[in-house]
Amino acid sequence: MINLNPQLKALLQQPHETALLLTIHFTTPLHLTNCGASLTYGGAEYVSGFWSGNGVSIEQQGSPKIGEVPITLTATDSAITALFFTENWLNIPVTIKKAWFNNQGKVAGAATLFKGNLVDKGGEESTNAAKLTLKAASVWADFEAARGRKTNLKSQQIYYPTDMGLEFSGTVITDIPWGREGSTPAITSSGRSRSQLVQQE
């Protein structure tokens, strides 16, 4: 149950506007809103234009349940994509609030609808558009599950902080052929490809 103050209850009895407020709690929190214009609430500026709020459907339930919320961000601004490549995003806390506006267009109050952690990240891009697709799971999710693991250095070091085994996992090898010649030459420790070594033999 959401506790609302008397002023907000009175506001809800008449026509009003609402917006969603998204916070991804990086070292420097990322505040976004699906409102048509950026707004300030609780001392933080929520920036519009990067998150539409589409797909967010949150229902309160009386029993513990793993809830997952998709978060799709417009990634045409390189600052958004850079943030997710420079920060350790896995299991970062996420908060979604619903805000209500008064007749003056100011936020009269807000209530937390969802709290969880990021468990998945993907993306798509084309000539004219790019988007970053995130998935947040509620606090009841099993964050030890393998589905949150990635074959990159940062994901590996969440569980094994000193392991450097995946340090070069992001190099430009597009395929790993098994028993056939691949389109990407396999680079050996000497810096020469397999085909170069075969030619020398």
Side-chain angles (χ1 to χ4, degrees):
M1 180 177 177
I2 299 176
N3 293 319
L4 303 176
N5 61 52
Q7 293 81 6
L8 192 51
K9 287 181 179 179
L11 175 65
L12 297 180
Q13 294 176 1
Q14 35 187 313
H16 58 275
E17 297 292 331
T18 64
L20 295 177
L21 309 177
L22 168 68
T23 301
I24 302 176
H25 298 271
F26 288 119
T27 307
T28 300
L30 176 64
H31 301 288
L32 302 174
T33 180
N34 68 339
C35 186
S38 299
L39 58 92
T40 300
Y41 176 74
E45 182 183 4
Y46 290 82
V47 181
S48 68
F50 294 101
W51 178 55
S52 66
N54 291 340
V56 175
S57 178
I58 300 170
E59 296 181 3
Q60 285 196 332
Q61 306 209 0
S63 59
K65 181 181 179 181
I66 297 175
E68 294 186 342
V69 174
I71 300 170
T72 302
L73 306 180
T74 300
T76 51
D77 188 332
S78 59
I80 293 289
T81 53
L83 182 61
F84 284 89
F85 283 104
T86 57
E87 290 269 0
N88 184 8
W89 62 269
L90 187 62
N91 288 349
I92 288 292
V94 172
T95 303
I96 298 177
K97 295 182 178 182
K98 185 172 185 177
W100 291 272
F101 296 95
N102 58 25
N103 295 333
Q104 290 74 43
K106 303 294 184 182
V107 177
T112 300
L113 296 182
F114 175 84
K115 280 188 175 182
N117 291 44
L118 290 181
V119 296
D120 197 11
K121 175 175 72 72
E124 297 178 11
E125 64 177 29
S126 63
T127 305
N128 300 317
K131 65 180 181 179
L132 191 62
T133 305
L134 310 172
K135 185 181 291 184
S138 68
V139 294
W140 300 106
D142 178 9
F143 293 111
E144 298 295 326
R147 64 179 177 175
R149 298 289 298 276
K150 303 292 182 182
T151 53
N152 58 46
L153 182 62
K154 285 189 175 183
S155 180
Q156 179 73 354
Q157 289 187 337
I158 290 174
Y159 298 92
Y160 308 100
T162 60
D163 185 7
M164 301 297 290
L166 295 177
E167 182 179 6
F168 300 106
S169 61
T171 55
V172 290
I173 296 178
T174 57
D175 66 343
I176 301 176
W178 296 92
R180 61 178 176 80
E181 191 68 29
S183 59
T184 303
I187 306 301
T188 67
S189 58
S190 64
R192 293 176 293 177
S193 70
R194 181 173 55 194
S195 60
Q196 290 173 326
L197 293 174
V198 171
Q199 289 176 0
Q200 288 184 356
E201 293 175 357

